[in-house]
Amino acid sequence: MGMPGVGKGTQAALLKDALNVPHVSTGDILREAVRAGSSLGRKVRGLLDSGQLVPDEMMGDLIVNRLGQSDARRGFVLDGFPRTQAQLGILDRVLNRLGGRLDVVFLLTAPEDEIVRRLSARRTCPQCASVFHLEGNPPRSPGVCDKCGSALVQRADDSEEVIRGRFQVYREQTLPIAHAYQERELLQEIDGIGEPQTVFERLGQAVELAS
Ligand code: AMP
């Protein structure tokens, strides 16, 4: 968990490699649906571009399907879900049904201005979802994905105005979820400032503690 742009996707990608489990990013799944022009994609495109949340019912169907797939049986790194009170309940029910439980919930933190700076310099690969940063983690050739060679893009929701709106959605809807996990003693707050590898070392220490 953490504000948009705090580094959840970057850390989740590192964590899934280290743990050898899938990275389930609801944002990536939705962006892929938009790119593919599926019926889900057509319904959610406007919401994504304007930084609003997709309705809980649609998200529930999506997460039930994804976590039910066989590659998630050994575990998964969940990124971007749950984001509302209703989604917290949905995740509890899915995990209950699958016979799983959350080991740990990370809350990545960083000051807002730092995040705005990062998001304006973020570039993503529309093909394989790799994330780059023009200053901190630039692609080897400008504008080209290191992993798959596709042209990098700036996400439509990474403009400063939309970013500020996404922060507000986060504060109102998602922060209370972090508090709920804190009460369940699952929350590990991680300082998200620094190079991706430095932040990842902090996560790694916390994972060892939690396992
Ligand atoms: P992200 O890549 O996690 O920043 O998500 C990008 C956008 O996808 C969000 O601004 C929402 O429009 C949508 N989205 C992703 N995850 C969720 C979720 N759990 N609930 C509702 N909308 C979501």
Side-chain angles (χ1 to χ4, degrees), residues 45 62 167:
R45 177 180 205 132
L62 183 154
F167 285 170

Side-chain angles (χ1 to χ4, degrees), residues 8 26-27 50 59 61 80 95 109 154 164 171 174 191 193:
K8 298 186 296 292
T26 48
S50 60
M59 292 309 301
D61 291 346
L95 290 176
T109 59
Q154 181 168 30
R164 298 277 178 201
R171 275 191 294 269
T174 308
D191 177 4
I193 302 266

Side-chain angles (χ1 to χ4, degrees), residues 24-45:
V24 176
S25 157
T26 48
D28 284 350
I29 295 172
L30 292 167
R31 277 185 291 278
E32 172 54 26
V34 170
R35 202 181 63 83
S38 68
S39 85
L40 172 69
R42 288 195 299 276
K43 284 184 206 138
V44 301
R45 177 180 205 132

Side-chain angles (χ1 to χ4, degrees), residues 3-5 8 25-28 30-31 44-56 59 63 79-84 87 122 155 157-158 162 166 169:
M3 290 191 115
K8 298 186 296 292
S25 157
T26 48
D28 284 350
L30 292 167
R31 277 185 291 278
V44 301
R45 177 180 205 132
L47 295 170
L48 260 72
D49 285 352
S50 60
Q52 295 172 65
L53 292 184
V54 170
D56 290 327
M59 292 309 301
I63 209 73
D79 162 15
F81 191 97
R83 264 169 146 108
T84 65
Q87 292 179 14
R122 173 159 81 175
R155 279 170 47 173
D157 56 352
D158 278 349
V162 177
R166 289 165 65 204
V169 170

